[in-house]
Amino acid sequence: MNPAEQLEFWREKQALIQNLLADVTKCLDLVNAERTQFARRNFVRALFAAVEGITWALKQTALMHHALGYVPLSPGEQAMLAEVSPDIDDKGQVTERQAHIALKHNVRFALQTFAKTEGLTFILSVSDDGWESFQKSIRIRDRLMHPKNANDLTVSDEETGILDRASGWWATQLGDLLKRVMSEGISKQRGAQFPRPAT
């Protein structure tokens, strides 16, 4: 991948991340302004679209770093970054199928492996209320995405607090890692050209 292709890769990932985070911000503003169930449900959807989209972007970036020779990754790490799992079909041929990875494991793996490919050690903070709230928020999201009755669509005041703590925890973890990458990661050391944030 030449420098121009790398820059285009970064621009595409930046656009994805900025759009996802803009949706989260707008939905949170709506929650604070209206305090309706509609607003709360949309905040949950936007939050987890951002979590999953950014997790995917970090994994794709880690794969790019591996391809560029930053840090070698094991075949298992590469497969999990690409979210594929090897299988054997009826004819005895090796095939690939989509790997189903629990979100809490996927987030942890993506952040830590992305950091590894940047030459950094990153330990996700899981000993505080934020991690616990994040896991509870996943269950709230799952219930909203697969409702069995009308009550499943209700996001309580208590759950709104859980979601607030979870989103704050996640933003802090992600922000701390990205600051380190920009200041001391291998990309920075190799003179990678990061696109300027949109204004």
Side-chain angles (χ1 to χ4, degrees), residues 44 47-48 132-142 159 162-164 166-167:
V44 175
L47 172 62
F48 280 98
E132 183 180 344
S133 294
F134 184 76
Q135 294 179 84
K136 288 178 180 177
S137 293
I138 293 172
R139 291 192 289 274
I140 296 167
R141 186 279 310 260
D142 290 346
E159 289 175 327
I162 290 168
L163 290 157
D164 185 54
S167 62

Side-chain angles (χ1 to χ4, degrees), residues 139-158:
R139 291 192 289 274
I140 296 167
R141 186 279 310 260
D142 290 346
R143 188 191 74 227
L144 289 174
M145 296 301 101
H146 307 283
K148 302 293 187 291
N149 56 61
N151 288 337
D152 287 345
L153 297 174
T154 299
V155 181
S156 69
D157 290 345
E158 180 183 357

Side-chain angles (χ1 to χ4, degrees), residues 59-127:
K59 291 172 81 171
Q60 291 300 295
T61 304
L63 279 172
M64 182 192 73
H65 289 166
H66 170 75
L68 292 171
Y70 283 25
V71 174
L73 296 171
S74 72
E77 288 172 321
Q78 293 174 61
M80 288 298 98
L81 288 171
E83 297 187 4
V84 296
S85 181
D87 201 356
I88 298 176
D89 66 16
D90 294 341
K91 297 177 183 177
Q93 300 297 311
V94 175
T95 61
E96 290 182 346
R97 57 184 167 78
Q98 183 176 359
H100 297 286
I101 310 166
L103 183 57
K104 67 179 182 178
H105 300 312
N106 206 19
V107 167
R108 197 170 190 169
F109 171 73
L111 291 168
Q112 291 176 175
T113 308
F114 171 68
K116 175 182 175 179
T117 64
E118 280 286 356
L120 304 171
T121 300
F122 179 79
I123 306 298
L124 194 70
S125 174
V126 296
S127 60

